[in-house]
Amino acid sequence: SSSLKIVLHKEVLLYALWRIEQCSGDFLETITLTPSTLQDIHSLVSKLLTDLRPEAIRLVDSFSHNDGILHSALGCYDGDVYRRLFKWAKKAPLNKHEVTDGYYKHLRGLLKAKL
């Protein structure tokens, strides 16, 4: 469809311009692009990100990665983000104890030392 072509074109353009931004030093060093042109590219990248934002979930979903592979609590279909984030945070290894082992091993002595 024509709307799909527009989104995909913006996505390809975003990637190409982002790569130019990532290698901007090379372009400046070889005088291929000017600082002014790079500023224009940065502005266009920002605009493309804004334009593609409403399509972001559909673009990611089009790859059919499940949330377990992405390890993301945000992209789940049920929309219950905050409960899921809280549940995941409670299961995180750093939250298994009130105070992490690293505190006792590394910080406690420093904090109690008279410097």
Side-chain angles (χ1 to χ4, degrees):
S1 73
S2 62
S3 61
L4 177 61
K5 284 181 185 178
I6 291 169
V7 169
L8 291 177
H9 180 262
K10 286 181 181 181
E11 194 174 22
V12 168
L13 186 57
L14 173 65
Y15 178 73
L17 294 173
W18 175 78
R19 288 296 300 151
I20 290 170
E21 276 190 315
Q22 296 302 302
C23 301
S24 61
D26 295 333
F27 288 104
L28 288 171
E29 189 176 291
T30 59
I31 313 172
T32 309
L33 297 174
T34 65
S36 174
T37 305
L38 287 171
Q39 285 179 329
D40 293 342
I41 288 172
H42 180 74
S43 296
L44 188 51
V45 166
S46 294
K47 183 183 179 329
L48 286 167
L49 287 170
T50 300
D51 291 352
L52 287 169
R53 185 178 209 164
E55 307 296 334
I57 291 174
R58 285 183 280 223
L59 287 168
V60 172
D61 285 349
S62 70
F63 290 100
S64 297
H65 296 302
N66 69 39
D67 295 317
I69 290 172
L70 294 175
H71 199 66
S72 169
L74 300 176
C76 294
Y77 287 100
D78 64 8
D80 197 9
V81 174
Y82 297 108
R83 252 180 267 214
R84 185 169 293 99
L85 281 171
F86 186 69
K87 182 177 161 188
W88 285 25
K90 287 192 323 189
K91 289 181 179 179
L94 285 175
N95 293 324
K96 294 215 184 281
H97 306 285
E98 194 67 29
V99 178
T100 65
D101 296 334
Y103 169 78
Y104 294 109
K105 187 175 179 182
H106 302 288
L107 294 176
R108 188 177 188 191
L110 288 173
L111 294 173
K112 294 194 177 232
K114 297 193 187 225
L115 301 175

